[in-house]
Amino acid sequence: MIRILTSLLALAVFAGAALANAASGQDQAPPASLNAYPAERLLPFWRTYVAQAQNGELAFRPAYRLDPPPAPDEAVSGFWLEGLDGTLLPLEVDTEGYLIIPQAAEAAGFVTRASRMHHDAQRPLPAIRLEIVAELAPARHYPISDLAAITHAVDHFQRDAMGLAALMAPRFDTLVWHFDGPAPDGWLTSRNGQRQSLEAYDNTLSLRMTGRIGRQGGQVELEALPLRLTIEVR
């Protein structure tokens, strides 16, 4: 059984560039031997994201990272997305291991419940890691009101995507800042000036957004600009 690392199974859940169309991949011919999987299992939340993005700009988007990623000099993921007419669209992978979703797949109705993804049967099947990436410009200061709002929006998005199953699923309530190199110092600073250090691990700083933190307000202060901000399950 394919092992998909989604946040729904207590696994982690960057940015828009990782989901842009790559014209150079359109000439890839699929191999003779392919294994087919439901697209919604490999690209969870994508269909809901596309449907909601048609009605207005969302403050976040799902991204899908291969684990393990391909070799540094390899842009081929080994995955193909089946189009409505049966055409197989190759999915390339960027330098950080994220799948590059074809632009055609951002059209409403392109990915349906019946859509399939195919994988080269001669290649080891990687896990796919779902991440929710905030569409916020990198900054050194983040108002808690903005962070609480995007966390709340992701929570509603999860409920729309999962239905009643969301009631039993882990919540996306942890904000994770990713840096190029070891994580710098960072703090949660309240309105009255009290400081609490953010949790540091390797190249990330994280903060679990609770109702109490949201009500207290204040801001997150970082000593360096992050590469991106993700909302994850921890």
Side-chain angles (χ1 to χ4, degrees), residues 34-54:
L34 292 168
N35 292 324
Y37 305 93
E40 290 213 325
R41 287 179 57 195
L42 300 181
L43 303 178
F45 291 7
W46 181 255
R47 189 168 58 86
T48 302
Y49 166 76
V50 169
Q52 294 190 6
Q54 306 300 313

Side-chain angles (χ1 to χ4, degrees), residues 58-213:
L58 294 177
F60 55 87
R61 65 186 294 144
Y64 307 91
R65 183 160 55 88
L66 300 185
D67 186 14
D73 59 345
E74 186 173 10
V76 179
S77 70
F79 286 100
W80 279 262
L81 178 61
E82 185 176 323
L84 294 173
D85 60 356
T87 301
L88 297 183
L89 304 179
L91 304 187
E92 291 197 338
V93 62
D94 71 7
T95 57
E96 295 191 72
Y98 290 87
L99 288 175
I100 300 174
I101 308 299
Q103 188 174 4
E106 299 199 27
F110 186 92
V111 176
T112 68
R113 293 182 184 275
S115 296
R116 298 188 302 172
M117 278 181 62
H118 302 259
H119 185 260
D120 186 346
Q122 301 304 313
R123 295 166 60 109
L125 181 66
I128 297 180
R129 188 181 185 91
L130 167 66
E131 299 182 359
I132 302 297
V133 182
E135 299 278 32
L136 298 176
R140 292 183 58 188
H141 299 87
Y142 292 83
I144 289 298
S145 58
D146 291 351
L147 298 176
I150 197 170
T151 305
H152 184 69
V154 171
D155 186 62
H156 276 275
F157 174 77
Q158 179 184 9
R159 292 171 185 267
D160 290 342
M162 298 181 63
L164 293 177
L167 298 176
M168 301 181 63
R171 294 185 60 231
F172 292 85
D173 60 3
T174 300
L175 298 146
V176 183
W177 288 267
H178 302 254
F179 298 87
D180 183 13
D185 288 333
W187 303 270
L188 168 63
T189 304
S190 66
R191 288 196 183 100
N192 61 14
Q194 291 183 327
R195 273 182 157 191
Q196 172 187 335
S197 294
L198 301 181
E199 182 178 347
Y201 178 75
D202 196 14
N203 67 330
T204 65
L205 292 173
S206 63
L207 171 69
R208 183 171 180 268
M209 178 58 65
T210 64
R212 179 172 175 269
I213 290 175

